[in-house]
């Protein structure tokens, strides 16, 4: 249950741990069971009811934000910001009544247009989505030390219960060790980031956030007595690791700007006042995280940026030892490590952008002792390694498609076969080192999440669980494709698309197009039960794998960042044009969606597309005030974002940003129907960015299409964490989309 990056929850998910992220994200997924897009399946398409007028003139007037112009000057040029006042000067405390009143007025207007929660189309969709959720659901048990661990949801409960049983106990003998529903009682928000048992299983260290601001409080529970051991330790980044003897805890504290900066260790049962500083990251552009090697022998201190990393190792049985650096940091060098026996495996991009695999002796891992085992390759992109005692499991991509390779102790290798031609796969809950089995989570656009155990010796996949959809799901009703859309510069852009088999490619059907394209984060073709509510109403759903992600390796990311950022937005527009040309839809029948940095994409696509291209857009927690935000180094992500977007203090970067920054490019022109979401406690994309953007759009747009802003007043970047509360957010977005397309 180590700390991992959380894609989708951030403008720059904790990409700090570029050092840890490229191994941990691929190799180990936390102790929660299959994370779901909870929803239900229908076997026939629902009949659309007559659409109601969906124009601003059909509703009471929208809120009208006041203007209080503030001037910002950069490189001799002055920009006027009429809505700067929406940033509460006391942030992160937001108590400016005028600001709060405006946000509440926007929420009320959204409820007026879409109907209040619990009524009408929103309630119908919520019930439809909820019907796909298995109310009593459990993850597949997995072994860790002397116990089987498991997570379970009960009927009507929003949050999971963590369970375990001794190895020799029968199924059904599980006992709860942490009930998140109890933690959530009386609180509008609750998120447990990690739940980490001590090596002997006596104690449980876990971290909780009850505001959505991602400031986690560390607690330790005695699993024999059920009592808390020692005081709370607030202000952590969420990760925690134990020393080998279970007497010491390692964790990361954030600084005043909420940047993960300090690694501390403290004796079990003691608070922050008894802690010892282990490591301090002094470069403001670098973030720090912690993990533990698969063997359990090392505590890993990983620090990094988007384009460089550094790993330090501490022997887990010598918690007082000073961290020892593996490879000192240098520009544009990313690497990750995994120990195995007397060797250290290293994934490094020192000679190839897509990484190569090398091996070095643990006794002296300096670069002079590196032995190349697998060279770098433009077609093959390595993303992570899982080192078991007798096996090395390598995660990556081959020609854009995810793959898992296995190497045995004798140096032989093979690729794990999967049933679909295009799919998403990752490691999950691989907690043991001495094992001949690796657990995998697998899905495709038409295949529900499936838990496999892969026998490394027999080379066989055993299905341990397929996500159950209580209302039924027939995959034979749907089909998916991988297409290649030509960009304007001739580059082929991968596109994943799914639709019902009765969908007609006559250009008349609605198309929903999703994109992200930043931070080297790929948008994999995962299954979504929520999405079926669109497919069964006649939509095709497409994912544009645009430059800026890493679907085709690190060069794919480099081609969509810094001075190349316009490629990201142009690719998205070109994919839409391609899908029109192929008969999947037509101008005016396409809705688009993206979140966080994908919200930047939405803003740019709205400003750059020809009039009438889009029917509607959904922008979740959108990073849209690019220049102002990246000019403010008091914000926690600013310095670490420079490798992706650049520093606007540079005149060339400033000019590039000014060409696409959504807030700065809103113009007097028509815009489609737009829904924008925000989180009041969001520190990654602060609430005022979407609020300012909506205010400016409403002032300048020349149409009467609906423009809505919904701010979650008790949540952060990821919105709600409860499984049913999350569905209410999905129902809001889908109600908007269906109304916009006239398919209620």
């Amino acid at each position: 249950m180590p700390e991992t990056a959380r894609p989708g929850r951030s403008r720059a998910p904790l990409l700090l741990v570029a050092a840890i992220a490229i191994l941990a994200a691929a190799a180990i997924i936390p102790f929660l069971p299959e994370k779901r897009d909870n929803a239900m399946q229908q076997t026939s398409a629902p009949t659309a009811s007559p659409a109601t007028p969906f124009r601003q003139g059909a509703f009471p007037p929208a809120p009208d934000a006041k203007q209080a112009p503030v001037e910002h000057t950069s490189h001799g040029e002055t920009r006027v910001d009429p809505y700067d006042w929406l940033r509460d000067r006391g942030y992160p405390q937001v108590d400016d009544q005028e600001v709060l009143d405006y946000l509440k007025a926007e929420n009320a207007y959204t409820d007026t247009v879409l109907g209040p929660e619990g009524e009408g189309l929103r309630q119908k969709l919520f019930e439809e989505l909820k019907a796909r959720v298995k109310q009593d659901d459990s993850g597949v048990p997995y072994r860790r030390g002397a116990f089987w661990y498991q997570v379970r949801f009960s009927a009507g409960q929003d949050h999971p219960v963590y369970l375990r049983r001794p190895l020799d106990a029968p199924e059904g003998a599980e006992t709860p060790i942490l009930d998140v529903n109890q933690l959530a009682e009386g609180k509008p928000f609750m998120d447990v980031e990690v739940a980490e048992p001590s090596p002997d299983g006596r104690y449980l260290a876990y971290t909780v956030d009850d505001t959505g601001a991602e400031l986690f409080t560390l607690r330790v529970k005695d699993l024999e007595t059920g009592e808390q051991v020692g005081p709370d330790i607030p202000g952590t980044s969420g990760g925690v690791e134990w020393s080998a003897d279970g007497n010491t805890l390692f964790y990361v504290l954030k600084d005043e700007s909420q940047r993960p900066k300090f690694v501390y260790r403290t004796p079990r049962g003691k608070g922050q006042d008894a802690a010892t500083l282990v490591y301090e990251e002094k470069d403001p552009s670098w973030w720090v995280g912690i993990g533990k090697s698969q063997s359990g022998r090392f505590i890993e201190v990983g620090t990094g940026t988007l384009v460089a990393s550094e790993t330090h190792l501490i022997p887990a049985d010598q918690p007082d030892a000073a961290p020892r650096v593996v490879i000192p940091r240098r520009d544009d060098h990313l690497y990750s490590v995994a120990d195995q026996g007397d060797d250290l495996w290293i994934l490094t991009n020192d000679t190839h952008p897509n990484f190569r695999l090398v091996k070095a002796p643990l006794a002296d891992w300096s670069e002079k002792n590196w032995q190349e085992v697998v060279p770098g390759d433009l077609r093959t992109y390595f993303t992570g390694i899982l080192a078991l005692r007798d096996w090395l499991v390598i995660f990556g991509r081959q020609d854009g498609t995810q793959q898992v390779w296995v190497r045995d102790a004798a140096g032989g290798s093979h690729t794990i076969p999967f049933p679909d031609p295009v799919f998403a796969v990752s490691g999950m809950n691989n907690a043991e080192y001495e094992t001949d089995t690796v657990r995998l989570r697998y899905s495709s656009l038409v295949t529900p999440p499936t838990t496999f155990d892969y026998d490394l010796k027999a080379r066989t996949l055993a299905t341990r669980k397929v996500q159950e959809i209580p209302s039924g799901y027939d995959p034979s009703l749907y089909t998916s494709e991988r297409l290649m859309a030509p960009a304007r510069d001739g580059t082929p852009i991968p596109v994943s698309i799914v639709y019902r088999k009765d969908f007609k490619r006559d250009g008349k059907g609605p198309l929903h197009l999703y994109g992200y394209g930043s931070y080297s984060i790929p948008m994999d073709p995962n299954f979504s039960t929520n999405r079926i509510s669109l497919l069964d109403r006649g939509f095709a759903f497409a994912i544009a794998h645009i430059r800026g992600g890493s679907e085709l390796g690190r060069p794919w990311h480099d081609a969509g960042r810094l001075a190349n950022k316009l490629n990201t937005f142009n690719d998205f527009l070109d994919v839409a044009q391609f899908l029109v040309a192929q008969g999947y839809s037509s101008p005016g029948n396409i809705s688009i969606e993206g979140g966080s940095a994908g919200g930047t994409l939405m803003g740019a696509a709205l400003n750059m597309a020809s009039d009438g291209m889009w029917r509607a857009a959904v922008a979740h927690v959108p990073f849209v005030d690019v220049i102002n935000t990246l000019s403010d180094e008091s914000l926690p992500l600013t310095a670490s974002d420079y490798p992706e977007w650049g520093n606007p203090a540079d005149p060339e970067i400033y000019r590039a940003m000014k060409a696409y920054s959504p807030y700065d490019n809103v113009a007097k022109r028509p815009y489609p129907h737009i829904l924008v979401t925000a989180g009041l406690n969001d520190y990654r994309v602060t609430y005022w960015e979407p609020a300012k953007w909506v205010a400016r759009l409403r002032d300048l747009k020349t149409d009467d299409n609906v423009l809505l802003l919904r701010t979650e007043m008790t949540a952060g970047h990821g919105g709600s964490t409860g499984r049913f509360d999350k569905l209410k957010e999905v129902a809001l977005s889908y109600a908007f989309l269906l109304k916009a397309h006239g398919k209620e």
Side-chain angles (χ1 to χ4, degrees), residues 13 43-44 59 69 84 171 262 286 325 347 349 359 362 370 379 412 420 442 456 466 523 566 570 579 612 721:
T43 56
S44 61
F59 306 102
D84 180 79
E171 290 189 25
F262 308 100
W286 287 55
V325 67
L347 276 183
N349 71 344
K359 183 170 66 172
L362 261 178
W370 288 8
R379 294 181 56 203
D420 295 290
Y442 174 91
L456 296 159
V466 178
M523 293 294 106
L566 276 175
N570 289 334
L579 293 174
T721 54

Side-chain angles (χ1 to χ4, degrees), residues 43-377:
T43 56
S44 61
T47 302
S49 59
T52 57
F54 200 52
R55 299 286 175 186
Q56 291 194 150
F59 306 102
D64 184 16
K66 76 173 186 181
Q67 297 192 19
V70 172
E71 293 185 350
H72 302 290
T73 301
S74 303
H75 309 292
E77 182 178 85
T78 298
R79 304 184 319 279
V80 177
D81 185 352
Y83 302 106
D84 180 79
W85 67 271
L86 282 167
R87 174 177 180 170
D88 190 317
R89 300 307 162 185
Y91 184 84
Q93 185 70 30
V94 184
D95 53 17
D96 184 312
Q97 197 58 50
E98 188 175 21
V99 170
L100 292 172
D101 287 346
Y102 171 72
L103 298 177
K104 291 175 182 177
E106 288 283 3
N107 284 353
Y109 179 66
T110 297
D111 287 342
T112 297
V113 174
L114 297 181
E117 186 178 292
E119 296 182 19
L121 182 58
R122 287 173 67 178
Q123 184 63 20
K124 176 183 176 182
L125 284 165
F126 173 71
E127 296 297 336
E128 183 177 310
L129 300 170
K130 186 178 177 182
R132 297 191 186 113
V133 178
K134 189 174 187 296
Q135 294 276 325
D136 294 297
D137 198 10
S138 298
V140 180
Y142 72 96
R143 180 177 176 175
R144 182 166 189 161
F147 297 90
W148 293 104
Y149 288 87
Q150 190 176 26
V151 169
R152 183 173 297 162
F153 287 90
S154 296
Q157 291 188 331
D158 241 337
H159 299 281
V161 177
Y162 294 69
L163 306 158
R164 75 174 185 185
R165 59 182 166 87
L167 294 181
D168 57 358
E171 290 189 25
E174 296 85 5
T175 57
I177 59 175
L178 187 67
D179 187 340
V180 183
N181 299 283
Q182 292 180 0
L183 297 176
E185 286 181 4
K187 298 182 181 297
F189 182 93
M190 176 53 63
D191 184 23
V192 171
E193 178 77 351
V194 296
E196 193 74 31
S198 59
D200 63 359
R202 168 73 184 269
Y203 302 95
L204 183 73
Y206 63 98
T207 56
V208 298
D209 168 24
D210 61 7
T211 69
E214 299 181 59
L215 284 169
F216 291 88
T217 296
L218 168 61
R219 295 173 182 159
V220 178
K221 181 179 180 180
D222 186 329
L223 296 180
E224 290 188 2
T225 67
E227 301 297 319
Q228 180 168 329
V229 178
D232 287 354
I233 299 177
T236 82
S237 65
V240 60
E241 297 294 348
W242 292 92
S243 62
D245 60 9
N247 291 328
T248 303
L249 286 160
F250 291 82
Y251 54 93
V252 176
L253 284 188
K254 295 186 173 184
D255 64 14
E256 64 282 353
S257 65
Q258 213 164 329
R259 182 176 66 93
K261 182 176 181 179
F262 308 100
V263 177
Y264 280 95
R265 67 171 185 266
T266 191
R268 185 189 67 243
K270 302 294 183 181
Q272 181 58 30
D273 56 352
T276 300
L277 181 65
V278 175
Y279 179 86
E280 177 182 356
E281 180 49 65
K282 296 183 178 180
D283 188 326
S285 66
W286 287 55
W287 286 15
V288 67
I290 56 170
K292 184 178 280 187
S293 68
Q294 183 71 16
S295 69
R297 288 191 291 176
F298 294 102
I299 304 294
E300 298 176 344
V301 176
T303 187
T305 71
L306 188 66
V307 295
S309 65
E310 184 177 74
T311 298
H312 301 252
L313 300 180
I314 302 170
D317 60 358
Q318 302 173 44
D320 295 342
R324 183 183 170 197
V325 67
V326 178
I327 309 163
R329 67 185 64 182
R330 57 179 185 255
D331 291 346
D332 300 318
H333 184 212
L334 287 166
Y335 69 94
S336 62
V337 303
D339 65 286
Q340 184 186 60
D342 295 329
D343 296 318
L344 188 71
W345 292 98
I346 304 170
L347 276 183
T348 171
N349 71 344
D350 62 339
T351 63
H352 197 285
N354 282 343
F355 295 86
R356 64 181 180 131
L357 179 66
V358 303
K359 183 170 66 172
L362 261 178
D364 183 3
W365 54 55
S366 57
E367 293 177 68
K368 69 179 185 296
N369 292 325
W370 288 8
Q371 173 190 350
E372 182 174 89
V373 178
V374 183
D377 179 5

